[in-house]
Amino acid sequence: MDRNELLSILKQSDDQRIKIAVVDIDGVLRGKILRKDKFLNVLESSSGFCDVIFGWDVVDVAYDNAKVTGWHTGYPDTNYTIDINTFRKIPWDENIPFFLGDFSQTNHPACPRSLLKKVINKAKKMDLTPIFSEEFEWFNFDETPDSLHDKGGVNPKPLTPGMFGYSVLRSSQKSDYFNDLFTLLEEYRIPLEGLHTETGPGVYEAAIQYTDILEAADRAVLFKAAVKEIASKHGVMASFMAKWNAELPGCSGHIHQSLWKNGQNLFADNKDEYKMSPIFKSYIAGQLDALPEILPMFAPTINSFKRLVEGAWAPTTLTWGLDNRTTALRVLASGGGSTRLETRVPGSDVNPYLAMAAALAAGLYGIENNLKLSIKPTIGNGYEDKSNGTLPPDLKSATDKMKSSSLAKSLFGDDFVDHFCRTREWEHRQFAASVTDWEIKRYFEII
């Protein structure tokens, strides 16, 4: 749809509401409804959005260590622009028109979508077209915000009991919700390749159809928000925490990726023993090289690291393998158009813009520097293959490593790395200052 066609549709509509949103550093949609005439003015130029959205955390507590905005700047408005290519109508909410915006025209160092666009521009200069998709696992609960609040925010009741991976039975027992997810997401321009139950009580998995990387990231961000909204219509709470229960598997946000040129998948090479092209091998080498230094972009929360443990379907080592689900990087190499890399480090709690920016930037770094994939593919248990090293074990150590990384700064710029690492340091401090149920149970009586 071109600009004139879009304007015609909006002007002819009787609906005076337009919903717009931007995305904060944690991947949370921050938005509002605008009157149509106000929106049309914004579309023609730009408008201001209070930059507190980059000055507070996921629960709206203001950072005390931020530089880009804060009490010291007065939290001013910062200009954002609307991307007309993100136009959708929200089918579960009276078909209200919806658009995403970003801060790329003002080059705001804290805007995740703007950062991804910068990395995409680098790929374009290399004459490469990144094709990406993300898949998510998430748990569903028989709760409402009020019922969970009444429980003190703990012990949510799963939507269904038991371990029922790929279960036709469980999905049919909640078919109204399950079918609405597939159908309404399609209408919302988030087509799914597949939707099924995963192993665990009330857990689903969805694979979003692949497309160019910016649209893939938009779909991934909107998928998480949309699922929560659709779930609410059914009296369900959907959670994208990486690990909500220590006894159950965590939730992944695996990223699938390939590079194309002139309609050809540049990762495929039928003549190679692994059916992998040299550019594909350099791309993997770049990710393996960068992973320890940019890990917070894949694992952004304290909880992220509860998922990254041995034997829990999430990687802990710097490994790659051919169709191996125990390695950090899983290569799917048919030699044809479906040849791709699956980066298995991200959990479902990621900000898709940052995770995709990290994956692509690291891969391009490998290609630019003609890095050689010197390590062999891991065969068997990737948790036991520590020959190339392991991932940092927690958010603090991962953030410390990224903060001092010249590679991270070269990939994403000093200002982004500084701001992002400050937000992760804040996140660690909030956790370190809290008293948990574990501590009370362990120490209250006996110590």
Side-chain angles (χ1 to χ4, degrees), residues 254-373:
H254 301 155
I255 297 173
H256 293 255
Q257 56 223 268
S258 55
L259 296 177
W260 291 66
K261 182 178 179 179
N262 298 327
Q264 296 296 313
N265 185 340
L266 299 181
F267 282 179
D269 184 350
N270 283 318
K271 297 178 182 178
D272 181 73
E273 60 174 322
Y274 301 131
K275 297 186 177 181
M276 297 166 60
S277 68
I279 198 173
F280 192 8
K281 293 176 183 178
S282 290
Y283 188 92
I284 290 173
Q287 281 204 15
L288 288 173
D289 205 37
L291 256 174
E293 301 187 41
I294 60 174
L295 183 58
M297 297 175 75
F298 294 123
T301 72
I302 293 291
N303 185 251
S304 302
F305 292 83
K306 306 293 176 70
R307 169 182 164 267
L308 297 173
V309 294
E310 292 188 9
W313 300 100
T316 59
T317 56
L318 291 168
T319 47
W320 74 279
L322 299 165
D323 198 8
N324 188 331
R325 287 182 168 87
T326 69
T327 56
L329 306 180
R330 175 184 174 226
V331 170
L332 296 154
S334 65
S338 63
T339 297
R340 64 192 186 277
L341 176 65
E342 178 189 43
T343 299
R344 295 179 57 82
V345 178
S348 58
D349 58 345
V350 291
N351 181 333
Y353 294 122
L354 298 188
M356 291 191 192
L360 179 59
L364 295 180
Y365 157 75
I367 294 169
E368 269 192 314
N369 292 279
N370 196 27
L371 298 186
K372 304 302 180 184
L373 187 55

Side-chain angles (χ1 to χ4, degrees), residues 170-188:
R170 278 292 185 258
S171 58
S172 69
Q173 289 169 339
K174 300 295 179 182
S175 60
D176 287 349
Y177 171 47
F178 194 84
N179 292 332
D180 256 3
L181 284 172
F182 199 97
T183 303
L184 294 176
L185 287 167
E186 178 81 22
E187 292 179 31
Y188 194 49

